[in-house]
Amino acid sequence: YLFKLFFIIGLVFAGFELWGAVVGFILASFFALTVGLILVFKKFFVKSHKSALKPLIGFELNLIALTIVIHLLNNVDLFLIKSLIKVNSSSAAGFYLAASTIAKLPQIAVLAFPLILFPLISATTFKGHLKQTQNYIKKSFRFAFLLLFPLAFVISASSQELLALVYGLDYSFAGSLALSALVFAASFYSLFLLMTTLLSASGNPVKSFIISLIVLIFVFLTGFYLIPLHGIFGMAIAMF
């Protein structure tokens, strides 16, 4: 993040505008990767640590596979809407995207949870502190429920008014029903991401990958069936 802050903002302020942001993002990613590789290889290519390199690489490959599936899961809804809605598909995608943007607002409340919990769960699992690990998991889900669902109920109950306020009346009429369902789908999805983070941190990224892949297939098949029947509301139901 520091590299992104330095390169992206620095190049934009230097007068490179849009291309500065694009090049800055690439440079930030490159330098972050370089620093990461130097730190990893410096530690694990020491003679006493060579044996630990193989499981580390295996763990990282599993996390990469999980990340790919999560990214597909994040975008499968719009792909299906654009593919299956033949009349005014761009408008339908726009209405759905507007509803989805507002529906994801409660996720902001728990955005930091995976970043904080991953090293904590990883450390306690490695040390064999089972009770402490269970305590972290119980508290994280409890707080996530308390933060997500009150907001979800408020947004769902005022979906039409929120869309009218942010996007206008056309979006309000077309997307309010989808928003009412999507906000709960997004909340459950936040809990799902929290669960995959906790599983991966406890040394089970393969289980996270398999569960995520099953969810992706289920969402795809359900959306494929419901969109022709109910349009964007069908996709919102499929995201549950």
Side-chain angles (χ1 to χ4, degrees):
Y1 290 107
L2 289 174
F3 281 121
K4 286 181 181 179
L5 185 69
F6 176 77
F7 283 108
I8 295 174
I9 296 178
L11 288 173
V12 170
F13 272 101
F16 292 99
E17 298 179 346
L18 179 60
W19 280 108
V22 173
V23 173
F25 184 85
I26 295 170
L27 287 174
S29 301
F30 172 77
F31 276 95
L33 176 63
T34 303
V35 171
L37 287 173
I38 290 171
L39 292 174
V40 168
F41 280 89
K42 184 178 178 182
K43 179 171 183 176
F44 287 99
F45 269 98
V46 177
K47 197 170 186 179
S48 60
H49 289 92
K50 280 186 179 180
S51 60
L53 186 61
K54 189 175 180 180
L56 175 68
I57 292 173
F59 185 81
E60 289 298 326
L61 289 174
N62 289 324
L63 283 182
I64 290 169
L66 172 63
T67 303
I68 291 170
V69 173
I70 293 296
H71 277 291
L72 290 173
L73 197 52
N74 286 337
N75 296 287
V76 67
D77 48 358
L78 281 176
F79 170 77
L80 287 172
I81 287 170
K82 291 287 287 183
S83 301
L84 298 176
I85 296 179
K86 304 301 181 184
V87 180
N88 295 325
S89 62
S90 295
S91 297
F95 293 138
Y96 181 87
L97 188 60
S100 179
T101 302
I102 295 177
K104 291 175 182 176
L105 288 176
Q107 289 183 337
I108 298 171
V110 296
L111 201 61
F113 278 34
L115 297 174
I116 296 169
L117 286 168
F118 194 97
L120 290 175
I121 298 296
S122 182
T124 54
T125 303
F126 178 77
K127 293 174 182 177
H129 297 164
L130 183 60
K131 287 187 177 180
Q132 193 173 2
T133 303
Q134 291 174 340
N135 189 40
Y136 283 141
I137 293 171
K138 287 178 183 177
K139 285 185 177 180
S140 63
F141 274 101
R142 188 183 302 135
F143 283 122
F145 266 102
L146 289 172
L147 290 170
L148 285 168
F149 288 97
L151 289 171
F153 276 106
V154 170
I155 291 173
S156 181
S158 56
S159 58
Q160 199 164 354
E161 292 80 5
L162 282 170
L163 282 168
L165 178 67
V166 179
Y167 294 104
L169 289 176
D170 290 340
Y171 284 84
S172 174
F173 293 127
S176 59
L177 196 60
L179 175 56
S180 296
L182 271 174
V183 68
F184 289 106
S187 297
F188 282 116
Y189 183 64
S190 296
L191 295 177
F192 166 75
L193 290 179
L194 183 58
M195 180 199 70
T196 58
T197 299
L198 295 174
L199 271 175
S200 298
S202 61
N204 294 296
V206 176
K207 289 182 180 178
S208 294
F209 169 75
I210 293 170
I211 293 170
S212 301
L213 187 60
I214 292 170
V215 171
L216 174 62
I217 294 169
F218 177 79
V219 169
F220 181 87
L221 294 176
T222 310
F224 192 86
Y225 174 74
L226 288 177
I227 287 174
L229 298 176
H230 303 291
I232 62 173
F233 179 66
M235 189 66 242
I237 295 297
M239 291 302 290
F240 269 101

